[in-house]
Amino acid sequence: MKAQRIKKMLTEKKTRKTTRKLIYKRAEQYHKEYRQMYRREIRLSRMARKVGNYYVPAEPKLAFVIRIRGINGVSPKVRKVLQLLRLRQIFNGVFVKLNKASINMLRIAEPYIAWGYPNLKSVRELIYKRGYGKIRKQRIALTDNDMIQKSLGKYGIICVEDLIHEIYTVGKNFKGANNFLWPFKLSSPRGGMNKKTTHFVEGGDAGNREDQINRMIRRMN
């Protein structure tokens, strides 16, 4: 009995060691990939500027959406959209894959949400600092890679860096990875808000703020 237990412990230790090596290797690979993506954007914009043109970056595929207003006077249609986006409470935030359908949903709920295009730093900070997973229908803090492996191992996602990569690059398993993440419960923004009821373009807070969402995430994370 004891020999079996020792054998099992040794096997588990060996498995953990191989997984650790794999995780480290993947993290390195992702770092390299992100750096290449960043440098490519810079190179293309420089090339365009050199010949007197403008470089137009590709359409963003990922949005981060924050609910900025409460429940008073919400019409049924908007309430349904907010439910579908999993934004049931004020200052809840979720990642959304941008396509025609999701953009239309964001337009319907626009007076109640602030959204934009998060950068890698924002995605990483949100998941590391406020990341909770949906495990057996419960909200569990992501303290261990094993939890991620058990829930998302079938998608080849075995650690936090895999999860960040899947969300940031909007990979083919984005839906599974995003549904695993519980909506982020953010703090009210430091320094307060300008005007919730007015669009960002008009000096308010609601609607699409493109890459300025990163500044808002910093104030709320």
Side-chain angles (χ1 to χ4, degrees):
M1 194 70 183
K2 195 181 177 183
Q4 277 182 332
R5 201 160 63 241
I6 290 166
K7 195 181 176 183
K8 195 185 175 187
M9 276 168 68
L10 286 168
T11 321
E12 280 177 2
K13 196 179 177 186
K14 201 177 175 183
T15 315
R16 275 202 304 272
K17 196 179 178 184
T18 9
T19 312
R20 234 184 2 254
K21 274 186 177 175
L22 179 64
I23 287 169
Y24 183 72
K25 204 174 176 183
R26 281 192 184 183
E28 263 188 337
Q29 190 186 319
Y30 293 149
H31 179 66
K32 200 175 171 183
E33 188 186 323
Y34 298 142
R35 203 170 58 217
Q36 281 173 351
M37 282 161 71
Y38 177 67
R39 283 183 176 167
R40 184 175 172 274
E41 291 291 306
I42 290 171
R43 196 180 72 247
L44 290 171
S45 70
R46 278 179 185 163
M47 279 163 66
R49 203 162 54 235
K50 212 173 183 179
V51 292
N53 277 337
Y54 288 105
Y55 169 63
V56 181
E59 285 287 308
K61 294 183 285 183
L62 178 71
F64 187 70
V65 187
I66 303 167
R67 180 167 180 168
I68 57 167
R69 282 170 72 181
I71 54 168
N72 287 355
V74 185
S75 73
K77 194 175 185 181
V78 175
R79 190 186 289 131
K80 185 67 188 168
V81 168
L82 291 169
Q83 272 177 17
L84 290 170
L85 291 169
R86 303 188 297 163
L87 297 172
R88 291 168 184 273
Q89 289 173 313
I90 190 168
F91 301 139
N92 269 14
V94 288
F95 291 112
V96 173
K97 181 181 181 176
L98 289 176
N99 52 37
K100 197 182 174 187
S102 64
I103 288 168
N104 285 338
M105 281 167 73
L106 294 174
R107 284 208 185 110
I108 291 166
E110 201 146 60
Y112 293 86
I113 57 172
W115 64 284
Y117 317 129
N119 57 22
L120 179 61
K121 189 181 183 213
S122 298
V123 175
R124 181 172 273 133
E125 281 179 0
L126 281 165
I127 292 175
Y128 270 115
K129 189 175 176 183
R130 295 197 184 250
Y132 282 78
K134 193 190 285 178
I135 297 164
R136 290 190 294 277
K137 296 185 179 180
Q138 287 180 309
R139 182 175 181 260
I140 311 283
L142 299 177
T143 52
D144 195 353
N145 283 330
D146 284 349
M147 295 155 71
I148 294 171
Q149 190 170 0
K150 279 172 190 167
S151 301
L152 299 172
K154 57 179 179 285
Y155 302 125
I157 298 169
I158 59 168
C159 62
V160 181
E161 282 300 325
D162 282 348
L163 186 59
I164 292 166
H165 181 260
E166 193 63 36
I167 296 290
Y168 181 63
T169 59
V170 189
K172 60 177 188 294
N173 299 314
F174 174 84
K175 192 180 177 184
N178 196 31
N179 285 344
F180 167 73
L181 282 172
W182 200 277
F184 297 92
K185 290 176 184 284
L186 303 168
S187 309
S188 55
R190 279 192 306 277
M193 302 187 90
N194 297 330
K195 199 177 182 192
K196 287 183 187 184
T197 49
T198 316
H199 198 285
F200 180 70
V201 174
E202 295 160 355
D205 284 302
N208 183 7
R209 52 177 65 206
E210 298 185 358
D211 54 353
Q212 290 296 315
I213 194 74
N214 298 300
R215 202 173 282 182
M216 192 176 186
I217 292 169
R218 301 277 176 285
R219 285 165 55 214
M220 298 178 80
N221 199 357

